[in-house]
Amino acid sequence: MRASDVRTTIVAPGIVHGRGAGIPAMFVGDGEHEVRLVGDGSQRWTTVHVDDLAELYVLAVHRGEQDGYVVAARGANPTVREIAEAGAHGSPVVAESVDASRERLGTDFADALLLHQEASGAHARAAFGWRPSRPSLLEDLADGSYVR
């Protein structure tokens, strides 16, 4: 593709949330059963709302940049513990060992979720005029699309 005349932009999103779906749904509690962290929950995640992400894809298509690359990140980088506490809704939040997370989720997926990720999305804002406006992940978990 890159050797052709096709114009491409790679959009690399953070953890996508919204509409009650995606990886963050694993941290939604029912007020009774425990919500398990991935590891001790100290790692930070780069996040983006699905509707803000969709707007960035549209902006990237309209821009038509050759070989572009942009990170889709709201700029808020909460810890996994903060994420779980926002979604727990009265359920106890419980840390687990790295080995326990790997056993529960599979090594590759757990290792990806154990990574410390931080990004601002500044390039997407400056170059594409992107303005994320949807609720943050913590807001969405506490009283948005994840509330049952």
Side-chain angles (χ1 to χ4, degrees), residues 80-96:
V80 170
R81 178 170 291 282
E82 290 169 332
I83 293 167
E85 289 172 350
H89 302 284
S91 291
V93 175
V94 179
E96 65 183 5

Side-chain angles (χ1 to χ4, degrees), residues 70-117:
V70 64
V71 174
R74 178 183 178 86
N77 302 294
T79 66
V80 170
R81 178 170 291 282
E82 290 169 332
I83 293 167
E85 289 172 350
H89 302 284
S91 291
V93 175
V94 179
E96 65 183 5
S97 70
V98 168
D99 288 338
S101 290
R102 287 175 175 155
E103 185 175 317
R104 177 170 61 97
L105 302 169
T107 299
D108 292 339
F109 187 48
D111 284 350
L113 297 180
L114 287 161
L115 290 174
H116 184 86
Q117 313 166 34

Side-chain angles (χ1 to χ4, degrees), residues 34-104:
E34 65 184 29
V35 173
R36 293 169 65 185
L37 297 172
V38 181
D40 67 5
S42 64
Q43 70 275 27
R44 293 189 176 275
W45 283 356
T46 298
T47 63
V48 63
H49 191 283
V50 65
D51 294 333
D52 288 330
L53 176 60
E55 287 179 359
L56 181 56
Y57 278 115
V58 170
L59 290 168
V61 168
H62 284 286
R63 183 176 168 107
E65 189 172 285
Q66 182 65 36
D67 296 332
Y69 185 90
V70 64
V71 174
R74 178 183 178 86
N77 302 294
T79 66
V80 170
R81 178 170 291 282
E82 290 169 332
I83 293 167
E85 289 172 350
H89 302 284
S91 291
V93 175
V94 179
E96 65 183 5
S97 70
V98 168
D99 288 338
S101 290
R102 287 175 175 155
E103 185 175 317
R104 177 170 61 97

